[in-house]
Amino acid sequence: MFVVHLVSCALLYLLARRLALRRVFSAAAVLLFSLAPLAVWYQRMAFLDNIAVMWVLAALVCAASPRRSAGAAIWAGVFMAFAFWSKETTLILLPAVYLLLRQNRDRRNWRFVRQNFLGFLTVICGLYVLYAVIKNELFEGAGHVSLIGATKWQLFDRPASGSLLNADSSTRSMANLWLDIDPYLLCAGVVAAFPALFVRRLRVVAILLLIQLAFMFRNGYMPYAYVTAMLPFAALCVAGMLDALLPYYRPPTADAARGRSGDMAGSALHDPPRDPAPAAETRSLSLRPPISALTLASAPTSASFAAPLPVAAEPAVLGTWIRLVAVASIVTAGLLTLPEHWAPKLHTALTADDSAPSRDAARWYIENIPDGNIVVTDDNIWTDLELAGKKPEPVWFYKLDLDPAVREKLKNGWQDVDYFILGDLTPVILNDLPMVAEGLRNSIVVKSFGDHGEIAVRKVIRPGCPATPTTTVPGC
């Protein structure tokens, strides 16, 4: 993940520069993306989301290419397809990537560029479907998995985490967890995203962040690492708005030095330059008809410039200084606030080993519980038990309620389970998984791991069996 993060940082800086952020603010976006405790927390984990974010950033960098070429569009489509292969949920960001490509277009080749982007994206994503067809795993059927069935489950049948507006939902609990780790980056990014919608060069970044925020208000499933794809765009919104707010500094011109510019010589601070026009509009200036001799004859002579032409006065310098003070105040507040709040959390994130309880629980189970016991656990411990060759194969706890094949195998539900290895589950999850909830209620803790018992190995107590970790009663 460290290499993935380094590549993502380089891509984020390049994207910021291609969106016309100055170097200092481009670097600030990378620092926020790298040093925020929430970013450190999630980017150390081996999530597919981190890999998908890298591909999305690569697609955006290509879409913002100053060359506006068909080749850049092809690579944008390829990288977006790789993002889909890494994490299919990244397709919700596709409209914003297309918008950036369109916003950066050259009208002379836009049709060709668009076809290349959508064509390569569709073909590469379609290989996934073709692979499913070749393996006879496209449609649902007995004895095999199904791409359509998995997609249907992901979109419609998977237990919903609830809406962000519901105080008792898993989505709200997850958002509270994110804000407990670091409330600054996400909140500042969302606040900055709304005015960024009115800055043309930042509009796409704001949309990328707000699209993901909007999805949290629906009553759907919310992955644990969902916030991962929000972090780079929150950092870009904050740094981009500071860049847009801070006036550009330009040395006084020769005319201003001679006093010919009147009020313009009063200040060397100017608003940021307007967004560059698309290449077609810029180059169209060179397509004007050639200057004729008649035009040259009618052009004013040098005598016509004896008196300086009137120059429009610059807006009041007061506005410029207000913007300077605003940026300085925001940066100063950040420098005074963030180190105090981030330092202990960064220390914890960089030193605490929160996966140790899971590893210890898996190791203890492998060493102390013989084969022949059915165990239900989470996806992290499941991998360790599977690699250790435990038989029968462990069961991911969601499958106990939701997988027909598992329900067919364990006809008595939780009563056919011997052990649970789980941490605390939220009330919403327990409500969606009644068999898991009933099994946990009818179990006792054999051994717990972590300073606060984060992970526990629990022995299922079947009806009529003694509530002891070890028993010689047949069937118990």
Short mmCIF file of all heavy atoms in Angstrom, two decimals, residues 288-329:
data_model
loop_
_atom_site.label_atom_id
_atom_site.label_comp_id
_atom_site.label_asym_id
_atom_site.label_seq_id
_atom_site.Cartn_x
_atom_site.Cartn_y
_atom_site.Cartn_z
N ARG A 288 -7.70 33.73 -38.52
CA ARG A 288 -8.30 34.92 -39.10
C ARG A 288 -7.71 35.19 -40.48
O ARG A 288 -6.56 34.82 -40.78
CB ARG A 288 -8.06 36.12 -38.19
CG ARG A 288 -8.78 35.99 -36.85
CD ARG A 288 -8.44 37.16 -35.95
NE ARG A 288 -9.15 37.08 -34.69
CZ ARG A 288 -8.96 37.92 -33.69
NH1 ARG A 288 -8.07 38.89 -33.80
NH2 ARG A 288 -9.64 37.78 -32.57
N PRO A 289 -8.45 35.89 -41.34
CA PRO A 289 -7.92 36.18 -42.68
C PRO A 289 -6.65 37.00 -42.58
O PRO A 289 -6.45 37.77 -41.64
CB PRO A 289 -9.05 37.00 -43.32
CG PRO A 289 -10.28 36.64 -42.54
CD PRO A 289 -9.82 36.36 -41.15
N PRO A 290 -5.74 36.85 -43.53
CA PRO A 290 -4.48 37.60 -43.49
C PRO A 290 -4.73 39.08 -43.58
O PRO A 290 -5.68 39.55 -44.22
CB PRO A 290 -3.71 37.07 -44.71
CG PRO A 290 -4.76 36.50 -45.59
CD PRO A 290 -5.83 35.97 -44.70
N ILE A 291 -3.87 39.84 -42.94
CA ILE A 291 -3.99 41.30 -42.94
C ILE A 291 -3.64 41.82 -44.33
O ILE A 291 -2.58 41.52 -44.88
CB ILE A 291 -3.07 41.91 -41.88
CG1 ILE A 291 -3.46 41.37 -40.50
CG2 ILE A 291 -3.14 43.42 -41.90
CD1 ILE A 291 -2.55 41.83 -39.39
N SER A 292 -4.54 42.59 -44.89
CA SER A 292 -4.32 43.11 -46.26
C SER A 292 -3.57 44.44 -46.20
O SER A 292 -3.43 45.06 -45.15
CB SER A 292 -5.67 43.30 -46.95
OG SER A 292 -6.43 44.28 -46.26
N ALA A 293 -3.14 44.85 -47.36
CA ALA A 293 -2.44 46.14 -47.46
C ALA A 293 -3.37 47.27 -47.09
O ALA A 293 -2.97 48.27 -46.49
CB ALA A 293 -1.90 46.33 -48.88
N LEU A 294 -4.67 47.12 -47.47
CA LEU A 294 -5.63 48.16 -47.13
C LEU A 294 -5.77 48.30 -45.62
O LEU A 294 -5.87 49.41 -45.09
CB LEU A 294 -6.98 47.83 -47.77
CG LEU A 294 -8.13 48.85 -47.51
CD1 LEU A 294 -7.74 50.20 -48.08
CD2 LEU A 294 -9.43 48.34 -48.12
N THR A 295 -5.75 47.15 -44.95
CA THR A 295 -5.86 47.18 -43.50
C THR A 295 -4.67 47.88 -42.88
O THR A 295 -4.79 48.68 -41.96
CB THR A 295 -5.96 45.75 -42.95
OG1 THR A 295 -7.04 45.09 -43.59
CG2 THR A 295 -6.17 45.75 -41.43
N LEU A 296 -3.49 47.57 -43.42
CA LEU A 296 -2.28 48.22 -42.90
C LEU A 296 -2.31 49.71 -43.16
O LEU A 296 -1.86 50.52 -42.34
CB LEU A 296 -1.04 47.59 -43.54
CG LEU A 296 -0.73 46.14 -43.12
CD1 LEU A 296 0.42 45.60 -43.94
CD2 LEU A 296 -0.38 46.11 -41.63
N ALA A 297 -2.84 50.10 -44.34
CA ALA A 297 -2.88 51.52 -44.66
C ALA A 297 -3.81 52.28 -43.74
O ALA A 297 -3.58 53.44 -43.42
CB ALA A 297 -3.31 51.71 -46.13
N SER A 298 -4.90 51.58 -43.34
CA SER A 298 -5.86 52.26 -42.48
C SER A 298 -5.50 52.18 -41.02
O SER A 298 -6.20 52.74 -40.18
CB SER A 298 -7.26 51.65 -42.68
OG SER A 298 -7.24 50.28 -42.31
N ALA A 299 -4.43 51.43 -40.68
CA ALA A 299 -4.04 51.29 -39.29
C ALA A 299 -3.49 52.60 -38.78
O ALA A 299 -2.87 53.37 -39.52
CB ALA A 299 -2.97 50.19 -39.15
N PRO A 300 -3.67 52.91 -37.50
CA PRO A 300 -3.16 54.17 -36.97
C PRO A 300 -1.65 54.19 -36.97
O PRO A 300 -0.99 53.18 -36.81
CB PRO A 300 -3.74 54.20 -35.54
CG PRO A 300 -4.03 52.77 -35.21
CD PRO A 300 -4.39 52.12 -36.49
N THR A 301 -1.11 55.35 -37.18
CA THR A 301 0.35 55.51 -37.19
C THR A 301 0.85 55.74 -35.80
O THR A 301 0.09 55.85 -34.84
CB THR A 301 0.72 56.71 -38.08
OG1 THR A 301 0.12 57.88 -37.51
CG2 THR A 301 0.20 56.52 -39.50
N SER A 302 2.17 55.83 -35.69
CA SER A 302 2.77 56.02 -34.36
C SER A 302 2.35 57.33 -33.74
O SER A 302 2.31 57.49 -32.52
CB SER A 302 4.29 55.95 -34.46
OG SER A 302 4.76 56.95 -35.36
N ALA A 303 1.99 58.29 -34.60
CA ALA A 303 1.57 59.57 -34.05
C ALA A 303 0.26 59.44 -33.29
O ALA A 303 -0.05 60.27 -32.44
CB ALA A 303 1.43 60.60 -35.19
N SER A 304 -0.51 58.41 -33.69
CA SER A 304 -1.79 58.23 -33.02
C SER A 304 -1.63 57.86 -31.56
O SER A 304 -2.56 57.96 -30.79
CB SER A 304 -2.60 57.13 -33.72
OG SER A 304 -2.74 57.42 -35.10
N PHE A 305 -0.43 57.37 -31.17
CA PHE A 305 -0.21 56.89 -29.81
C PHE A 305 0.55 57.92 -28.98
O PHE A 305 1.14 57.60 -27.96
CB PHE A 305 0.58 55.57 -29.83
CG PHE A 305 -0.17 54.47 -30.48
CD1 PHE A 305 0.07 54.15 -31.81
CD2 PHE A 305 -1.14 53.76 -29.78
CE1 PHE A 305 -0.63 53.13 -32.42
CE2 PHE A 305 -1.83 52.73 -30.40
CZ PHE A 305 -1.58 52.40 -31.72
N ALA A 306 0.56 59.15 -29.42
CA ALA A 306 1.29 60.17 -28.67
C ALA A 306 0.73 60.32 -27.27
O ALA A 306 1.46 60.47 -26.30
CB ALA A 306 1.22 61.50 -29.42
N ALA A 307 -0.58 60.28 -27.15
CA ALA A 307 -1.21 60.37 -25.83
C ALA A 307 -1.63 58.97 -25.40
O ALA A 307 -2.18 58.22 -26.21
CB ALA A 307 -2.42 61.30 -25.90
N PRO A 308 -1.39 58.56 -24.16
CA PRO A 308 -1.76 57.22 -23.71
C PRO A 308 -3.27 57.03 -23.74
O PRO A 308 -4.04 57.95 -23.44
CB PRO A 308 -1.21 57.15 -22.29
CG PRO A 308 -1.09 58.58 -21.85
CD PRO A 308 -0.77 59.36 -23.08
N LEU A 309 -3.68 55.81 -24.14
CA LEU A 309 -5.10 55.49 -24.15
C LEU A 309 -5.61 55.37 -22.73
O LEU A 309 -4.87 54.98 -21.81
CB LEU A 309 -5.32 54.17 -24.90
CG LEU A 309 -4.96 54.19 -26.38
CD1 LEU A 309 -5.11 52.80 -26.96
CD2 LEU A 309 -5.82 55.19 -27.13
N PRO A 310 -6.88 55.64 -22.49
CA PRO A 310 -7.42 55.49 -21.13
C PRO A 310 -7.40 54.03 -20.71
O PRO A 310 -7.69 53.15 -21.51
CB PRO A 310 -8.84 56.03 -21.25
CG PRO A 310 -9.15 56.09 -22.70
CD PRO A 310 -7.85 56.19 -23.44
N VAL A 311 -7.03 53.77 -19.47
CA VAL A 311 -6.92 52.42 -18.92
C VAL A 311 -7.96 52.26 -17.83
O VAL A 311 -8.09 53.13 -16.96
CB VAL A 311 -5.51 52.15 -18.35
CG1 VAL A 311 -5.42 50.76 -17.77
CG2 VAL A 311 -4.48 52.34 -19.45
N ALA A 312 -8.68 51.13 -17.87
CA ALA A 312 -9.69 50.88 -16.84
C ALA A 312 -9.03 50.74 -15.49
O ALA A 312 -8.01 50.06 -15.34
CB ALA A 312 -10.48 49.62 -17.18
N ALA A 313 -9.58 51.39 -14.51
CA ALA A 313 -9.01 51.33 -13.16
C ALA A 313 -9.23 49.95 -12.57
O ALA A 313 -10.25 49.31 -12.78
CB ALA A 313 -9.66 52.39 -12.28
N GLU A 314 -8.25 49.46 -11.81
CA GLU A 314 -8.37 48.16 -11.13
C GLU A 314 -9.38 48.28 -10.00
O GLU A 314 -9.53 49.34 -9.40
CB GLU A 314 -7.00 47.77 -10.54
CG GLU A 314 -6.99 46.38 -9.96
CD GLU A 314 -5.66 46.07 -9.30
OE1 GLU A 314 -4.84 46.99 -9.18
OE2 GLU A 314 -5.48 44.94 -8.89
N PRO A 315 -10.12 47.18 -9.69
CA PRO A 315 -11.03 47.22 -8.55
C PRO A 315 -10.29 47.64 -7.30
O PRO A 315 -9.07 47.52 -7.19
CB PRO A 315 -11.54 45.78 -8.47
CG PRO A 315 -11.39 45.25 -9.85
CD PRO A 315 -10.17 45.92 -10.41
N ALA A 316 -11.03 48.08 -6.34
CA ALA A 316 -10.44 48.62 -5.11
C ALA A 316 -9.46 47.65 -4.51
O ALA A 316 -9.70 46.45 -4.45
CB ALA A 316 -11.55 48.95 -4.11
N VAL A 317 -8.33 48.19 -4.08
CA VAL A 317 -7.29 47.37 -3.47
C VAL A 317 -7.79 46.73 -2.18
O VAL A 317 -7.30 45.70 -1.75
CB VAL A 317 -6.04 48.22 -3.21
CG1 VAL A 317 -4.94 47.40 -2.55
CG2 VAL A 317 -5.54 48.82 -4.51
N LEU A 318 -8.83 47.33 -1.58
CA LEU A 318 -9.36 46.81 -0.33
C LEU A 318 -9.82 45.37 -0.48
O LEU A 318 -9.59 44.52 0.38
CB LEU A 318 -10.53 47.69 0.13
CG LEU A 318 -11.24 47.23 1.42
CD1 LEU A 318 -10.27 47.23 2.59
CD2 LEU A 318 -12.45 48.12 1.69
N GLY A 319 -10.47 45.05 -1.62
CA GLY A 319 -10.92 43.68 -1.85
C GLY A 319 -9.77 42.71 -1.90
O GLY A 319 -9.86 41.58 -1.40
N THR A 320 -8.68 43.13 -2.52
CA THR A 320 -7.50 42.28 -2.59
C THR A 320 -6.95 41.98 -1.22
O THR A 320 -6.62 40.83 -0.89
CB THR A 320 -6.42 42.96 -3.46
OG1 THR A 320 -6.93 43.13 -4.77
CG2 THR A 320 -5.15 42.13 -3.49
N TRP A 321 -6.89 43.01 -0.39
CA TRP A 321 -6.33 42.79 0.95
C TRP A 321 -7.28 41.97 1.83
O TRP A 321 -6.82 41.22 2.70
CB TRP A 321 -6.02 44.14 1.61
CG TRP A 321 -4.77 44.74 1.04
CD1 TRP A 321 -4.67 45.78 0.17
CD2 TRP A 321 -3.44 44.29 1.29
NE1 TRP A 321 -3.36 46.01 -0.15
CE2 TRP A 321 -2.57 45.11 0.53
CE3 TRP A 321 -2.88 43.28 2.08
CZ2 TRP A 321 -1.19 44.96 0.54
CZ3 TRP A 321 -1.50 43.12 2.09
CH2 TRP A 321 -0.68 43.96 1.32
N ILE A 322 -8.56 42.11 1.60
CA ILE A 322 -9.51 41.27 2.35
C ILE A 322 -9.28 39.80 2.03
O ILE A 322 -9.28 38.94 2.91
CB ILE A 322 -10.96 41.68 2.02
CG1 ILE A 322 -11.27 43.04 2.64
CG2 ILE A 322 -11.95 40.63 2.52
CD1 ILE A 322 -12.65 43.56 2.29
N ARG A 323 -9.05 39.50 0.75
CA ARG A 323 -8.79 38.11 0.36
C ARG A 323 -7.47 37.62 0.94
O ARG A 323 -7.35 36.47 1.39
CB ARG A 323 -8.78 38.01 -1.16
CG ARG A 323 -10.16 38.27 -1.77
CD ARG A 323 -10.10 38.52 -3.26
NE ARG A 323 -9.58 37.37 -3.99
CZ ARG A 323 -9.40 37.35 -5.30
NH1 ARG A 323 -9.70 38.44 -6.01
NH2 ARG A 323 -8.93 36.28 -5.89
N LEU A 324 -6.47 38.50 0.94
CA LEU A 324 -5.19 38.12 1.54
C LEU A 324 -5.34 37.81 3.02
O LEU A 324 -4.82 36.80 3.52
CB LEU A 324 -4.18 39.26 1.36
CG LEU A 324 -3.41 39.32 0.06
CD1 LEU A 324 -2.58 40.59 0.00
CD2 LEU A 324 -2.51 38.11 -0.09
N VAL A 325 -6.08 38.65 3.73
CA VAL A 325 -6.27 38.44 5.16
C VAL A 325 -7.07 37.15 5.40
O VAL A 325 -6.79 36.39 6.34
CB VAL A 325 -6.98 39.66 5.79
CG1 VAL A 325 -7.40 39.37 7.22
CG2 VAL A 325 -6.08 40.88 5.74
N ALA A 326 -8.07 36.88 4.56
CA ALA A 326 -8.87 35.67 4.72
C ALA A 326 -8.01 34.42 4.57
O ALA A 326 -8.09 33.49 5.39
CB ALA A 326 -10.01 35.67 3.70
N VAL A 327 -7.18 34.37 3.51
CA VAL A 327 -6.32 33.21 3.31
C VAL A 327 -5.32 33.07 4.45
O VAL A 327 -5.09 31.97 4.98
CB VAL A 327 -5.59 33.31 1.95
CG1 VAL A 327 -4.55 32.20 1.81
CG2 VAL A 327 -6.59 33.25 0.81
N ALA A 328 -4.72 34.19 4.86
CA ALA A 328 -3.76 34.14 5.95
C ALA A 328 -4.41 33.67 7.24
O ALA A 328 -3.82 32.89 8.01
CB ALA A 328 -3.13 35.53 6.15
N SER A 329 -5.65 34.09 7.49
CA SER A 329 -6.35 33.68 8.70
C SER A 329 -6.64 32.18 8.67
O SER A 329 -6.46 31.48 9.68
CB SER A 329 -7.65 34.47 8.85
OG SER A 329 -7.40 35.85 8.92
#
